[in-house]
Amino acid sequence: MYFQTRILFVSFVATVILAIFIIPILRKLKIGQIERKDGPESHFGKKGTPTMGGIIIALGIIIGTIGGYIYYSTTDPIVGEKLFPLLLISIGFGAIGFIDDYKKLVLKNTKGLKPSSKMLGLLIISVLFTLYLLKGANLGTATIIPFTKQVIILPVLVYIPFAIFVMLATTNAVNLTDGIDGLSTSVSAIITTCLTVIAIILDVKEIVVFGSIIVGACLGFLIFNLNTAQVFMGDTGSLLLGGVISAMALYLQMPLILLIIAAIPVLETISVVLQVVYFKKTGGKRLFKMAPLHHHFELSGWKENKVVSIFCIFTLMLCIIGLCSI
């Protein structure tokens, strides 16, 4: 555990240093936040805040992963080699978000990447990682059921679409959670910490190391992302973190535990679905004041810091329940 603590610290420091240099560059290039016209009025002042900050997280993770590989190249080469597929899947999801951000913020195409193209990109990466789990890592289709301690072996033809769904759903859920200063970063850090603790219990070294790197990068970025945020992660960061969380859960053969520990992103997604369905069924009425869910609480009078604090406490408690379920 001594090395895992050190690599977390390395990732944290690297991310902080990167942020200090990259944020002014983003500001100089005028890569700033575009706020929704129908969004909360309190967000209008955020317009122009540097975004695409997910680049900072990605670079921090890359540096941490390289450090982990160098360390394990002499002590346990197999663990070091297994870090790179996890890195590639994370950067792959982040790259889709980067393209979307780039089109919106640099090319000034307000629609960004077409939803169909975005989903296709996420789908391709999800398929590749699923095949890696089955053929590269040889993990099989075993899936652990929380609380029951039972393991079910899914047929391959069931496991593949299931794993793909988990990744697509998680990336989009974390993406929807990104809407308030520090919310997605802090919630993702807590969920990743929980998955890392599970990896420690199950003795899955590569996930312990990679999870430590992710937590360090999130905490480093959070320094600049808390209210009032100096930088936003954009889709570059939210899709990356969603990919990380889903990849770690699938690697640990515990994707179902995300229904517990990632309940906040799940509820954020459900709120959007319910809002759309209710709007169509009632001819224009709204179930929530605004979706995703965090905006509903904002418009109900909660300050951003309160929303983040409550959502983080809720996530922390659910992670404790999740740990008790294994």
Side-chain angles (χ1 to χ4, degrees), residues 65-79:
T65 303
I66 292 173
Y69 175 77
I70 292 172
Y71 174 82
Y72 279 105
S73 62
T74 56
T75 57
D76 194 341
I78 294 177
V79 172

Side-chain angles (χ1 to χ4, degrees), residues 33 35 43 46 49-50 57 174-191 217-234 238 241 264-265 268 294-295 298 303-313 315:
Q33 178 75 356
E35 289 296 332
H43 285 217
K46 300 176 186 287
T49 300
I57 300 175
V174 175
N175 183 241
L176 289 172
T177 308
D178 183 32
I180 292 181
D181 296 1
L183 178 60
S184 187
T185 313
S186 52
V187 167
S188 296
I190 295 171
I191 295 170
C218 285
L219 293 178
F221 184 77
L222 195 57
I223 290 177
F224 305 90
N225 187 229
L226 287 172
N227 188 267
T228 302
Q230 300 175 50
V231 64
F232 300 129
M233 67 170 66
S238 60
L241 291 178
I264 286 295
E268 295 272 33
H294 55 261
H295 287 319
E298 270 194 288
K303 298 294 184 182
E304 284 192 49
N305 284 337
K306 181 176 180 179
V307 176
V308 174
S309 298
I310 297 297
F311 278 33
C312 283
I313 292 170
T315 300

Side-chain angles (χ1 to χ4, degrees), residues 96-110:
I96 302 299
F98 175 82
I99 295 170
D100 189 32
D101 285 338
Y102 187 83
K103 292 192 72 173
K104 285 187 291 189
L105 303 168
V106 179
L107 301 183
K108 306 303 179 184
N109 181 342
T110 54

